[in-house]
Amino acid sequence: IRSELQHAVSWLTLQASDLRGEALEHWELDRRAMRLATRPLVEAPEAGLLVCPWAASATRTIISNHLLDGRLPWPQSALPDAVNRALRIYREERNKELERDVMLALSGRPNLRARGPIKKAKVLGLAALPRELDGICIDETRSRIWVIEAKDRAVAFSPHQVRKAIDEFHEEGGYLSKVIANVELIQAGASSVAAAMGATEPHRS
């Protein structure tokens, strides 16, 4: 336990040498490993280790919020590979859990036929399926097929993260373009998909 505490204190300590070695713009929060917000202990050559109580409280809140989201408030480049790997696996599992929750909620509705995730084209009666679909849901009452894309997005804590999230949805090859491509694929084979899903009148408009 003592060695773990020593590692924790070292990780939470801000040193002048660390700041000199981090040549980043002031606004690059996501890439900055050395910030008072995440290192509330300050090493002072003459005074020893300074403890900043308010900063420590804020750091606790920041770390807790990030961990709830399956992240840490430091860039991946500053974290050990094993930690990055564990966080990635956790995030992937959270996304799969969201997909399962969405499909479970839809499957519980008597007027809907839902299936997902879908990895093989033959499941939908199609010749090809370029990418995995999170889900397909048929609403026979409205003669409508829903193409589902479920994403457990991380909360954005900085302007850069907001910008990155927007780009991931809207830029070429992003989430929205993939959804549109999936919709066009399902639309082109709507009757086959409806039949594979067990619709009573798969060929109606």
Side-chain angles (χ1 to χ4, degrees), residues 114-132:
R115 185 177 298 171
I118 301 164
K119 300 180 180 180
K120 297 183 178 180
K122 64 181 181 180
V123 174
L124 295 178
L126 299 174
L129 190 63
R131 65 187 64 84
E132 178 180 331

Side-chain angles (χ1 to χ4, degrees), residues 36-68:
L36 188 56
T38 57
R39 296 182 182 267
L41 309 178
V42 180
E43 186 178 80
E46 298 180 358
L49 191 66
L50 302 180
V51 180
C52 309
W54 285 7
S57 177
T59 299
R60 180 180 182 277
T61 300
I62 290 170
I63 294 176
S64 297
N65 288 338
H66 277 74
L67 284 175
L68 288 174

Side-chain angles (χ1 to χ4, degrees), residues 96 99-104 106-107 113-119 123-124 132-137 148 197:
K96 291 178 182 177
E99 294 173 5
R100 290 193 294 267
D101 289 346
V102 170
M103 299 313 300
L104 183 62
L106 293 173
S107 299
R113 296 176 184 270
R115 185 177 298 171
I118 301 164
K119 300 180 180 180
V123 174
L124 295 178
E132 178 180 331
L133 300 179
D134 290 346
I136 294 291
C137 180
I148 298 167
M197 294 282 289

